[in-house]
Amino acid sequence: MKKIGFLSFGHWANHPAYQVRTASDTLLQSIDLAVAAEEIGLDGAYFRVHHFAAQLASPFPLLSAVGAKTSRIEIGTGVIDMRYENPLYMVEDAGAADLISEGRLQLGISRGSPEQVIEGWRHFGYTPDEGENDADMGRRKALQFLEKLQGIGFAQPNPYPMFPNPPGLLRLEPYSAGLRERIWWGAASNATAVWAAENGMHLQSSTLKYDESGKPFHEQQAEQIRLYREAWKKAGHTREPRVSVSRSIFALVNDQDRYYFGREADRTDKIGMIEQDKRAIFGRSYAAEPDQLNEELAKDEAIKEADTLLLTIPNTLGVEYNVHVLSSILTHVAPALGWR
């Protein structure tokens, strides 16, 4: 059994083939899609965060709106770039979104991915400390975020406050109990997956990772997951870790599916450079008639290792078509592979 969610990058563009022309379209359709996904039995609605791009950027208003409109589905991110964040202000935003959703927030964070602009985090007012690089800064901010999520007082109260204070040091509000245990780390390497386990975060592994062995993507990702679980056990955490993997999967069940994805080219892994000195491997997409699709997916080792599968969706094709895409997976794929 697996939890199955969708992952939307929230693209928009004034393009004649798009059902999503503006930022408003993206935000409102994201809410509608989450509501519809809950109605068809999906387990999660996740959203990517990118800055300086025509994509979703500020997640907490959207997560709060989705939380208010739904009642069961998990809501989350995959991922928030911590280089751009004020960890304390983020604690307040995340706490509010989690309370609105009554404890359904599954927040994915990371050091961040390649950017649209040069050192975009500097425009947000952040620079690495002496001896740090930007990745170090992202991880440092993540640890500060985790610490403050625990709800332990740390700030000395004003002796002449506007409102009466409780005794002792003050914490950030609103505090949401349990949220600290629902933070995920997006890891592109084996080492950062181990680091996430050591620090008690769940693991998000996307459709790319650093190429560390030359093996097929799904084998490298499965190895990353096993190393993560070993590190979690070694760290002595008492709760169960969760692991998600992302995939582009399309069951071709009608002519529209075949038109959009029948000639899908990315059926093999790709190698590329996501940074100047970082060779990465990008996992293949899956698009086929249900019987063939199930046969191919059954060989994916990383999907077998994960408890949660996030389906990357073509959000620009609109809510109705994406509901069809997700429903097709639940109907034609999930039961055959034992995910349901």
Side-chain angles (χ1 to χ4, degrees):
M1 299 293 288
K2 294 189 187 299
K3 289 184 178 292
I4 303 174
F6 72 79
L7 174 62
S8 174
F9 280 53
H11 296 281
W12 75 84
N14 188 19
H15 187 284
Y18 282 14
Q19 300 294 316
V20 184
R21 305 288 182 87
T22 67
S24 176
D25 289 342
T26 294
L27 290 163
L28 295 174
Q29 289 189 30
S30 294
I31 298 168
D32 290 343
L33 181 58
V35 171
E38 180 173 83
E39 291 173 350
I40 65 173
L42 216 67
D43 301 300
Y46 287 75
F47 303 96
R48 192 66 169 88
V49 178
H50 282 114
H51 300 286
F52 298 103
Q55 299 177 42
L56 294 170
S58 52
F60 292 107
L62 175 59
L63 294 171
S64 297
V66 171
K69 288 278 191 175
T70 57
S71 61
R72 179 193 58 81
I73 198 169
E74 293 181 343
I75 57 176
T77 51
V79 288
I80 297 174
D81 187 335
M82 292 303 296
R83 296 174 297 180
Y84 285 78
E85 296 297 322
N86 177 321
L88 274 66
Y89 192 67
M90 187 173 165
V91 167
E92 296 179 342
D93 276 349
D98 194 45
L99 291 170
I100 289 170
S101 69
E102 298 182 303
R104 290 181 283 127
L105 192 61
Q106 303 284 341
L107 202 64
I109 64 175
S110 184
R111 57 133 299 180
S113 60
E115 304 174 88
Q116 296 299 108
V117 301
I118 297 172
E119 297 183 342
W121 29 270
R122 291 187 184 275
H123 296 287
F124 280 56
Y126 302 116
T127 57
D129 288 344
E130 186 175 353
E132 281 188 330
N133 59 29
D134 62 302
D136 297 329
M137 177 178 68
R139 287 187 285 270
R140 170 173 53 82
K141 287 185 172 191
L143 293 178
Q144 187 179 10
F145 175 63
L146 295 176
E147 178 189 9
K148 296 300 186 289
L149 276 178
Q150 296 180 55
I152 299 172
F154 64 93
Q156 188 69 39
N158 185 346
Y160 306 105
M162 180 176 294
F163 309 106
N165 281 323
L169 300 177
L170 301 183
R171 68 186 183 188
L172 293 168
E173 301 288 355
Y175 168 69
S176 186
L179 178 56
R180 167 61 181 85
E181 298 183 353
R182 286 179 273 114
I183 306 302
W184 304 59
W185 183 261
S189 69
N190 293 347
T192 51
V194 169
W195 178 84
E198 292 170 345
N199 287 283
M201 289 182 280
H202 302 304
L203 176 65
Q204 286 184 340
S205 193
S206 71
T207 51
L208 71 86
K209 70 179 296 294
Y210 294 147
D211 184 10
E212 299 181 80
S213 69
K215 295 178 181 178
F217 171 79
H218 72 104
E219 293 181 18
Q220 292 199 47
Q221 192 175 49
E223 180 181 357
Q224 180 193 49
I225 294 169
R226 289 190 286 267
L227 290 170
Y228 165 80
R229 289 211 169 99
E230 290 171 8
W232 183 280
K233 183 177 180 180
K234 185 177 180 180
H237 304 302
T238 57
R239 54 196 170 91
E240 286 296 314
R242 288 182 61 183
V243 175
S244 73
V245 295
S246 303
R247 291 290 186 275
S248 297
I249 303 174
F250 302 98
L252 307 182
V253 299
N254 62 28
D255 289 342
Q256 188 176 28
D257 299 330
R258 296 180 190 98
Y259 174 78
Y260 283 136
F261 302 108
R263 286 178 270 181
E264 177 63 55
D266 295 330
R267 294 186 178 177
T268 58
D269 297 338
K270 304 295 182 185
I271 299 294
M273 304 295 290
I274 59 171
E275 296 176 5
Q276 188 173 5
D277 59 344
K278 296 292 187 181
R279 174 184 164 101
I281 183 167
F282 299 77
R284 56 161 297 184
S285 297
Y286 293 91
E289 304 290 326
D291 288 346
Q292 179 186 343
L293 184 62
N294 294 336
E295 183 178 337
E296 293 176 0
L297 288 169
K299 300 174 183 177
D300 191 309
E301 291 187 17
I303 293 179
K304 293 177 185 177
E305 291 282 348
D307 59 79
T308 301
L309 174 64
L310 300 184
L311 302 168
T312 58
I313 58 165
N315 77 284
T316 55
L317 297 181
V319 173
E320 182 178 355
Y321 183 69
N322 277 289
V323 170
H324 161 73
V325 167
L326 297 170
S327 296
S328 295
I329 300 300
L330 293 179
T331 301
H332 300 286
V333 177
L337 292 174
W339 300 347
R340 280 289 188 272

